[in-house]
Amino acid sequence: MKFGTKTIHAGQQADPTTGAIMTPIYQTSTYIQNTPGDHKGYEYSRTGNPTRSSLEQNLASLENGKFGLCFGSGLAAIDAIIKLLSPGDEVISTNDLYGGTYRIFTKIFENYGIKFHFIGMKKPKEIECLINKNTKMLWAETPTNPMLNIIDITALSEISKQYNLTFVVDNTFATPYLQRPLDLGADIVMHSLTKYMAGHSDVVMGAVICKDETLAEKMYFIQNSCGAVPGPMDSFLVLRGIKTLHLRMQRHCENGEIIANFLKDHPKIDNVYWPGFKTHPNHEIAKKQMDDFGGMISFNIKGNKLDDAITVVSNMHYFSLAESLGGVESLCGHPASMTHAAIPKKEREKTGVVDSLIRLSIGVEDVSDLINDLKQSLEKL
Ligand SMILES: Cc1ncc(COP(=O)(O)O)c(C=O)c1O
């Protein structure tokens, strides 16, 4: 199957009892057994649920993986992945990453004896100086949140293989429509399905996808033992959302390109961060590993005043001021006080998350309305 067929059909068959074309919501916690152990493949819904299984198979197929596992949120998926590690182990992570990921690493897992190093990964070779005998995992987000840096997945996977590290890519911003990290050598892909994958801002969920059976068995063990699984209704919503992933992503990318170019030429704007620009430091890598450049854009305002950023985000009509991203509706956010508030000011400023930075999640509305909205809001400055 090609990608646009997989989104609609992978992991899904018409219901054998009724012929229902949509995967039913199996709202059940348990399943009848004829004699102990004699059942139809399901025993208890923490361990497995048919609606969730359909979604898990669909995700594995979209990422060209073999195994998919869903969790109650993106952070629950991250939590499960880090539980592959033991006290004393070390992780090398991108320094420009979602604030909640930084928080779970530093405020939760450091208490359990796991050590995290944060480094810009624009030049992969620089990572090697942090690798020692305790290093077990490499963690990358690409494009990064919110600076839209691009990390070379193939180069990192070569390093991870050389040093026998588990290489995890958070593919939330790109989705498998734009980028398939497992094909480029990553061991694990994780998602906040809450974003583009579900696509309609109506569900919170996460996922882990891999190819290796031993790794998958460990992840299933953690999923079942720790139990942070999503319910069948939410699994249904994500399955339904994914059916239009390719159509939505195409429009997110088209609108993104038009808006990035509009912002670049605006006299009140300083820098625009979008990997599609030829001047973007890793544009060539983006072209190599992504099929298009996505609908996430960040920019900062000339003079770098916090109040200016607040004025702009508070005066938009179609860009709703809200946490999150990747829904059909456009959103704007102020990372320094919202998504990245968990990262200390000194630390976030090193990566470019300055006070006037604004992050846009470009929706699939009519792009001329979006441009007019940005224009009128910037005129308030
Ligand atoms: C890149 C990235 N990874 C992970 C997460 C966490 O996902 P969730 O909010 O579904 O727990 C987010 C949430 O914003 C994100 O943007």
Side-chain angles (χ1 to χ4, degrees), residues 31-141:
Y31 308 82
I32 290 171
Q33 310 192 13
N34 295 323
T35 54
D38 175 15
H39 52 71
K40 295 187 164 64
Y42 294 94
E43 299 163 69
Y44 186 58
S45 279
R46 168 164 36 73
T47 317
N49 172 282
T51 319
R52 195 178 93 213
S53 294
S54 279
L55 172 60
E56 291 177 331
Q57 285 167 35
N58 179 269
L59 293 167
S61 168
L62 292 179
E63 286 286 3
N64 292 339
K66 284 198 185 142
F67 308 96
L69 299 94
C70 288
F71 294 86
S73 68
L75 275 170
I78 295 171
D79 176 79
I81 295 167
I82 301 298
K83 284 175 178 158
L84 290 166
L85 303 174
S86 305
D89 288 349
E90 298 189 13
V91 179
I92 303 175
S93 164
T94 346
N95 62 356
D96 170 23
L97 83 171
Y98 171 57
T101 310
Y102 179 85
R103 182 177 55 206
I104 193 173
F105 285 174
T106 56
K107 297 280 191 285
I108 303 288
F109 282 109
E110 280 191 355
N111 292 338
Y112 290 86
I114 295 166
K115 192 166 172 187
F116 294 87
H117 302 271
F118 297 94
I119 181 169
M121 291 186 171
K122 274 182 259 173
K123 294 188 184 141
K125 278 277 158 205
E126 290 176 5
I127 296 166
E128 284 184 87
C129 65
L130 291 172
I131 299 177
N132 63 47
K133 64 178 185 354
N134 297 324
T135 312
K136 295 288 156 56
M137 191 175 272
L138 276 187
W139 190 284
E141 259 180 39

Side-chain angles (χ1 to χ4, degrees), residues 71-78 97-101 139 141 143-145 170-173 190-195 203-206 323-325 339-340 359:
F71 294 86
S73 68
L75 275 170
I78 295 171
L97 83 171
Y98 171 57
T101 310
W139 190 284
E141 259 180 39
T144 62
N145 179 5
D170 181 336
N171 206 24
T172 300
F173 266 38
M190 69 99 358
H191 277 281
S192 168
L193 299 174
T194 315
K195 313 289 162 29
V203 66
V204 171
M205 201 186 294
E323 303 269 352
S324 205
L325 58 107
T339 44
H340 290 66
R359 190 189 75 181

Side-chain angles (χ1 to χ4, degrees), residues 237-290:
L237 283 174
V238 177
L239 263 177
R240 189 176 69 159
I242 286 176
K243 284 182 191 288
T244 56
L245 175 68
H246 51 310
L247 308 175
R248 290 184 282 107
M249 287 307 291
Q250 189 180 348
R251 180 64 74 89
H252 285 298
C253 292
E254 287 165 10
N255 284 0
E257 179 170 2
I258 296 169
I259 291 176
N261 282 302
F262 161 76
L263 293 171
K264 183 167 65 84
D265 295 333
H266 197 284
K268 292 186 178 155
I269 290 174
D270 202 358
N271 300 300
V272 182
Y273 302 96
W274 179 67
F277 290 136
K278 285 199 177 68
T279 49
H280 183 286
N282 269 350
H283 175 69
E284 287 308 316
I285 312 265
K287 259 179 33 190
K288 195 179 72 174
Q289 69 189 21
M290 298 172 75

Side-chain angles (χ1 to χ4, degrees), residues 170-192:
D170 181 336
N171 206 24
T172 300
F173 266 38
T175 83
Y177 174 82
L178 294 178
Q179 160 180 292
R180 288 151 307 278
L182 296 178
D183 288 350
L184 303 174
D187 298 299
I188 295 180
V189 166
M190 69 99 358
H191 277 281
S192 168

